Amino acid sequence: MYNPNNAMKFYEKIRPILETDMDLNGRRVLAYFQYYVLKRPDLAEITLAQADKAEENVKAVLSKTEQKYEQKLIEELRENMRGNSSPTY
């Protein structure tokens, strides 16, 4: 179960790092936070577009398995965003 209050506490501690982390998993984590905790699908969509761009840069760094897993998590979020007009926990 999600705990939005705890999520906000952790976010406030890592905010400067997470908001400037432009790699694939950093963008994914921020998009999940924006969608599920902030309930801002508009921001999450922008962040996912940035994740798509970042994906091009990770092919030399991440293994195929890691790349597939990141894509699975991103696609899961996109499916949830398409299926819900408002995010829920």
Side-chain angles (χ1 to χ4, degrees):
M1 189 56 126
Y2 294 99
N3 185 323
N5 291 331
N6 279 347
M8 286 301 294
K9 286 180 197 175
F10 285 115
Y11 176 71
E12 289 304 322
K13 291 180 187 253
I14 64 167
R15 178 184 225 155
I17 296 167
L18 188 57
E19 289 186 356
T20 59
D21 185 351
M22 297 304 288
D23 69 10
L24 180 61
N25 65 340
R27 295 288 89 187
R28 174 187 49 79
V29 169
L30 182 58
Y32 267 79
F33 179 80
Q34 291 167 331
Y35 183 72
Y36 289 110
V37 178
L38 298 179
K39 298 185 182 217
R40 293 287 310 268
D42 56 323
L43 293 178
E45 189 59 47
I46 292 167
T47 304
L48 287 176
Q50 294 168 340
D52 291 337
K53 290 180 183 177
E55 183 181 15
E56 299 167 10
N57 300 328
V58 299
K59 292 182 180 176
V61 178
L62 296 179
S63 70
K64 294 271 186 202
T65 303
E66 290 170 313
Q67 291 174 40
K68 285 181 183 180
Y69 186 65
E70 285 292 338
Q71 274 308 318
K72 177 184 174 192
L73 294 172
I74 288 170
E75 187 53 37
E76 179 181 281
L77 176 56
R78 282 196 167 114
E79 286 176 18
N80 289 341
M81 290 171 67
R82 283 191 291 267
N84 295 316
S85 58
S86 62
T88 60
Y89 298 102

